[in-house]
């Protein structure tokens, strides 16, 4: 029998994240919230953060909701609502700023995938601190995916599905952010082992 993290404290944060993105899609708020480099340069700074929660289309949103569900299945019980909100908020800001500073060729950006790469890395590190070997495998697997994308470019099939170019550099930024966000977990784990 599966032991899913269905208690409200584990279930409500990912549901809220999906509901937020679905609401933005339903009301077609991309023009107001997406990362648009020209508009950010003109002072619409909220777009750096808000762009993480809007999507190119419904297929794009569905893929990211699938990622939210997968992360909930893997790590839902590892985080409180407060920790979940902090991780999502910090990674959204990190990813948006990273796209702005390090990806000058990206003029329009939307989607949760960058920050989800960070969240899954954080969860993998949390797994390792709980002595779960799957955490090591997941951490290595995500980084291998990132390296594969960097060497081979974005997945063309996914790009067709979402009618947009997959922002693989944003995925890298998200994974770096998740690694940095998880560093204190690892430091505490090592200190407590010694």
């Amino acid at each position: 029998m599966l032991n899913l993290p269905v208690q409200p404290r584990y279930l409500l944060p990912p549901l809220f994240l999906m509901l937020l993105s679905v609401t933005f899609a339903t009301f077609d708020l991309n023009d107001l919230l997406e990362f648009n480099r020209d508009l950010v340069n003109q002072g619409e700074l909220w777009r750096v953060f808000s762009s993480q929660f809007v999507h190119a289309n419904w297929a794009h949103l569905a893929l990211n909701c699938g990622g939210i569900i997968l992360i909930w299945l893997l790590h839902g019980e590892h985080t409180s609502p407060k920790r979940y909100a902090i991780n999502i908020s910090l990674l959204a800001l990190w990813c948006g700023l990273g796209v702005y500073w390090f990806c000058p060729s990206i003029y329009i950006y939307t989607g949760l995938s960058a920050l989800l790469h960070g969240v899954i890395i954080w969860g993998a590190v949390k797994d390792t601190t709980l002595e779960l070997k799957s955490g090591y495998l997941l951490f290595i697997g995500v980084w291998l995916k990132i390296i594969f994308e960097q060497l081979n470019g974005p997945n063309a099939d996914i790009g067709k599905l979402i009618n947009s170019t997959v922002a693989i550099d944003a995925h890298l930024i998200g994974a770096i952010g998740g690694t940095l966000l998880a560093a204190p977990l690892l430091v505490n784990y090592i200190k407590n082992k010694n």
Side-chain angles (χ1 to χ4, degrees), residues 44-77:
E44 295 185 14
L45 301 179
W46 68 85
R47 292 173 178 275
V48 168
F49 182 82
S50 64
S51 59
Q52 309 303 305
F53 307 101
V54 294
H55 293 82
N57 56 32
W58 287 100
H60 187 202
L61 175 59
L63 284 173
N64 281 324
C65 285
I68 293 169
I69 293 167
L70 174 65
I71 292 167
W72 167 75
L73 288 170
L74 290 170
H75 306 123
E77 75 282 1

Side-chain angles (χ1 to χ4, degrees), residues 2-18 64-80 84 88 116 119-120 122-123 127 138:
L2 290 175
N3 187 16
L4 297 176
V6 294
Q7 296 88 348
R9 70 180 181 269
Y10 303 137
L11 190 56
L12 292 178
L15 286 177
F16 176 79
L17 181 57
M18 287 189 288
N64 281 324
C65 285
I68 293 169
I69 293 167
L70 174 65
I71 292 167
W72 167 75
L73 288 170
L74 290 170
H75 306 123
E77 75 282 1
H78 293 333
T79 184
S80 66
Y84 192 92
I88 294 297
L116 291 178
V119 172
I120 202 162
W122 185 91
D127 279 353
L138 187 57

Side-chain angles (χ1 to χ4, degrees), residues 152-163:
N152 297 296
N155 184 308
D157 293 331
I158 301 265
K160 281 183 194 175
L161 180 65
I162 67 171
N163 195 28

Side-chain angles (χ1 to χ4, degrees), residues 89-104:
S89 298
L90 289 175
L91 287 166
L93 185 59
W94 169 269
C95 292
L97 289 172
V99 166
Y100 183 75
W101 288 330
F102 303 115
C103 304

Side-chain angles (χ1 to χ4, degrees), residues 107-181:
Y107 284 87
I108 302 293
Y109 176 82
T110 60
L112 283 163
S113 60
L115 77 82
L116 291 178
H117 279 76
V119 172
I120 202 162
I121 288 284
W122 185 91
V125 172
K126 181 68 176 177
D127 279 353
T128 63
T129 67
L130 297 171
E131 309 281 333
L132 298 171
K133 296 198 183 338
S134 58
Y136 296 101
L137 294 174
L138 187 57
F139 185 86
I140 292 167
V142 172
W143 275 107
L144 287 174
K145 174 200 178 283
I146 296 290
I147 292 166
F148 181 83
E149 285 180 336
Q150 290 295 310
L151 294 175
N152 297 296
N155 184 308
D157 293 331
I158 301 265
K160 281 183 194 175
L161 180 65
I162 67 171
N163 195 28
S164 184
T165 302
V166 177
I168 59 172
D169 291 337
H171 294 173
L172 172 61
I173 290 165
I176 291 169
T179 303
L180 293 173
L181 192 61

